[in-house]
Amino acid sequence: MNKRGHVLNAVLLSIGLGYVVHPAGDVETLTAIAELFVPIVLGALFPDVDAVLGRHRKTLHNLPVLAVVLAYPIHFANLHWVWIGVLTHYVLDLLGTRRGLALFYPFWEKEYGLPFGVPVSSRWAPYVVVLVTAVELAAAALLVHGLPPELAERALAAIGAQ
């Protein structure tokens, strides 16, 4: 996907996650959207820095980078939601495009991909972005609302949503 697609995914995901966590559509929903918006957009754009500084879809498009981004808020107590943007960038690149990702780079240069997707320049790319975002939001809703209430409450508390 291109920059526009990743930003569209991040914006839609931020809004959708705000409603997944606080479905009432009230001030809490808007607060959640505001809290998620900037970190998710920044995280969604971060992996493509490797197009300038490194090998695109290798240097910053891999599981070791995702692990560092996931661990960052534990150690430094900031950047809590950037990992969502980075993870969804990877998901969008895997599901939405024909080229794969070198998920285990720098240990292994093999690119993994799925047998579907569209070229980045395709007129269908924005529709694929919306479709992938809908799948991501459905998975998030299932995790938040499909768990038994006590587990869902703990999960929401763990991610700071309550």
Side-chain angles (χ1 to χ4, degrees):
M1 281 296 133
N2 59 19
K3 194 179 339 176
R4 175 188 268 164
H6 287 299
V7 170
L8 175 61
N9 173 255
V11 169
L12 294 175
L13 200 60
S14 300
I15 294 167
L17 288 173
Y19 278 93
V20 165
V21 176
H22 297 289
D26 55 9
V27 173
E28 282 185 310
T29 307
L30 295 175
T31 301
I33 292 168
E35 181 180 359
L36 294 168
F37 186 83
V38 171
I40 291 177
V41 170
L42 289 174
L45 292 172
F46 173 71
D48 280 343
V49 170
D50 70 6
V52 177
L53 305 172
R55 297 178 64 196
H56 188 54
R57 293 231 181 151
K58 286 188 176 19
T59 307
L60 297 176
H61 285 74
N62 56 64
L63 296 178
V65 168
L66 181 60
V68 168
V69 173
L70 277 166
Y72 205 88
I74 295 167
H75 185 72
F76 294 108
N78 64 359
L79 301 178
H80 289 281
W81 308 113
V82 171
W83 69 270
I84 295 172
V86 173
L87 178 62
T88 60
H89 183 111
Y90 294 177
V91 169
L92 193 57
D93 279 353
L94 280 171
L95 295 178
T97 65
R98 292 187 177 166
R99 183 177 173 195
L101 299 178
L103 292 172
F104 301 102
Y105 186 84
F107 309 109
W108 195 357
E109 293 206 22
K110 178 176 170 51
E111 291 186 0
Y112 296 90
L114 299 172
F116 50 84
V118 297
V120 173
S121 60
S122 168
R123 68 184 184 110
W124 297 105
Y127 301 106
V128 171
V129 170
V130 171
L131 179 64
V132 169
T133 305
V135 170
E136 291 169 338
L137 288 171
L142 185 63
L143 285 173
V144 171
H145 299 293
L147 294 174
E150 60 277 355
L151 285 177
E153 199 171 295
R154 283 164 131 192
L156 288 171
I159 62 170
Q162 284 192 341

